[in-house]
Amino acid sequence: MKPFLKTQLERYALRLQELDFLLSREDIMRDMTQFLKLSREHAEVSAVATRFARHQLRSQDLQAAHALLGDEEMRDMAEEEMASASAELATLETELQRMLLPKDPDDARPAFVEIRAGTGGDESALFAADLLRLYTRYAESQGWKTEIISESVSELGGYKEVVVRIEGEQVYGALKFESGGHRVQRVPATETQGRIHTSACTVAVLAEPDEAEAIKINPSDLRIDTFRASGAGGQHINKTDSAVRITHLPTGIVAECQDGRSQHSNKAQALKVLTARIQEKDRAERAAKDAAERKSLIGSGDRSDRIRTYNFPQGRLTDHRINLTLYKLLSIMEGDLQDVVQALQAYEAAQQLAELEIGAAA
């Protein structure tokens, strides 16, 4: 184990002793807010400290077994114990590294996924529909729920723009790296001479705001318009002005919802999307300031960044940020996105670990 990791983990053991003492104090037990806050911290610190204690114990077992190698009668047992201890130590170290990484509080939140057709006309809109299918199929495989919030359908059945809400465990943490420019290379359905075309879509993944912590929007800064919904939705939705568009006047940010059954529900959803977009704007501005220092290749979420290419003739997906290439494009387009998600999360974890090590050495 690297020295800086061991130093960090020793602090957890000391903090656990402090928390045990604090939680035994009567004044803190009487203050429920403080007690719950410390209890949550105790659970997190205890999980790390317990694994670290196990790591130390197995390290001692490994040393003891190594000392027995010179004894011929004990050698087989010692080698077996060394193999067992080494395997468990590797697993524990990986877990401990992951537990030490900074946590994004939004990772556990539901997310809005916005997909917009870009260059490429009708083919781009069809690709937007393919991306929507990809994300909804992936959501199904994870046991998540999806709900279309708004859509602008193109003539050939694709989407000029579509927004889907996805709810489930760790949704934003899994999908946040999808933000950016997605390029597709294939022979379009409208191409009569078999030529490969290149078109693009942009994707933005926004964490749904926590109502308790969401930014407060002044109602006087909002312009709310109602209109008749277009596209799918049935007879009811097309007969009433139930669709809602909300404009945040200071920033010009707009959100709309048309798929709900009532104007009230559409207004509530549109306001959630608007709040998420405003918070994402703030997040992007902070990320831009940090980018020069961190030089991270992923997580910027800039829609102008070309993050990925989908090459259908070669059956290839390439993520340009981490030089990941997979030759299983058709299964990925059916929702088999987990290898991509895990590779991006692993890269971020390695970046964070490197930053922790640099910070510890400073």
Side-chain angles (χ1 to χ4, degrees), residues 117-138:
T119 56
D122 288 332
E123 166 62 6
S124 176
L126 291 172
F127 181 50
D130 291 338
L131 288 176
L132 176 64
R133 175 186 172 88
L134 161 60
Y135 294 132
T136 52
R137 285 292 184 92
Y138 177 64

Side-chain angles (χ1 to χ4, degrees), residues 92-302:
L92 286 167
E93 189 161 337
T94 299
E95 289 179 356
L96 287 166
Q97 287 180 1
R98 177 179 53 78
M99 295 172 84
L100 285 180
L101 296 178
K103 294 178 178 62
D104 184 340
D106 285 337
D107 280 355
R109 303 291 305 160
F112 296 106
V113 179
E114 304 177 350
I115 306 169
R116 289 184 174 82
T119 56
D122 288 332
E123 166 62 6
S124 176
L126 291 172
F127 181 50
D130 291 338
L131 288 176
L132 176 64
R133 175 186 172 88
L134 161 60
Y135 294 132
T136 52
R137 285 292 184 92
Y138 177 64
E140 287 174 14
S141 73
Q142 301 300 304
W144 300 339
K145 297 178 182 178
T146 61
E147 175 190 4
I148 299 282
I149 299 299
S150 66
E151 58 186 349
S152 175
V153 181
S154 71
E155 292 179 3
L156 295 181
Y159 291 100
K160 297 174 185 176
E161 177 181 339
V162 60
V163 180
V164 59
R165 179 181 182 271
I166 304 179
E167 180 182 4
E169 187 176 346
Q170 297 292 314
V171 171
Y172 183 72
L175 295 179
K176 61 184 177 183
F177 301 124
E178 295 301 302
S179 292
H182 294 243
R183 183 178 69 170
V184 62
Q185 296 170 327
R186 65 184 177 185
V187 179
T190 54
E191 170 59 52
T192 58
Q193 299 181 28
R195 293 174 298 186
I196 296 173
H197 289 226
T198 298
S199 56
C201 289
T202 58
V203 173
V205 181
L206 318 174
E208 182 177 85
D210 183 339
E211 292 183 5
E213 299 178 5
I215 59 172
K216 304 302 179 186
I217 299 176
N218 190 334
S220 64
D221 288 338
L222 300 178
R223 186 179 73 237
I224 301 175
D225 301 305
T226 58
F227 58 99
R228 186 160 298 180
S230 61
Q235 293 180 332
H236 168 81
I237 203 166
N238 291 319
K239 286 183 176 179
T240 62
D241 289 343
S242 59
V244 175
R245 181 184 297 112
I246 304 178
T247 304
H248 185 240
L249 299 174
T251 61
I253 294 174
V254 179
E256 64 180 51
C257 182
Q258 58 180 311
D259 276 41
R261 281 286 179 178
S262 71
Q263 189 179 111
H264 178 76
S265 65
N266 281 333
K267 180 180 176 182
Q269 281 286 27
L271 193 56
K272 281 186 179 180
V273 175
L274 183 76
T275 304
R277 287 178 178 167
I278 293 172
Q279 291 197 169
E280 183 61 24
K281 180 176 180 290
D282 292 341
R283 179 197 291 268
E285 289 172 353
R286 291 195 305 271
K289 292 178 182 177
D290 295 342
E293 298 176 9
R294 295 188 63 209
K295 294 187 173 69
S296 177
L297 293 177
I298 61 175
S300 68
D302 189 335

Side-chain angles (χ1 to χ4, degrees), residues 2 59 69 120 178 217 286 302 328 347:
K2 294 180 179 179
S59 295
L69 286 176
E178 295 301 302
I217 299 176
R286 291 195 305 271
D302 189 335
K328 56 171 196 174
Y347 184 87

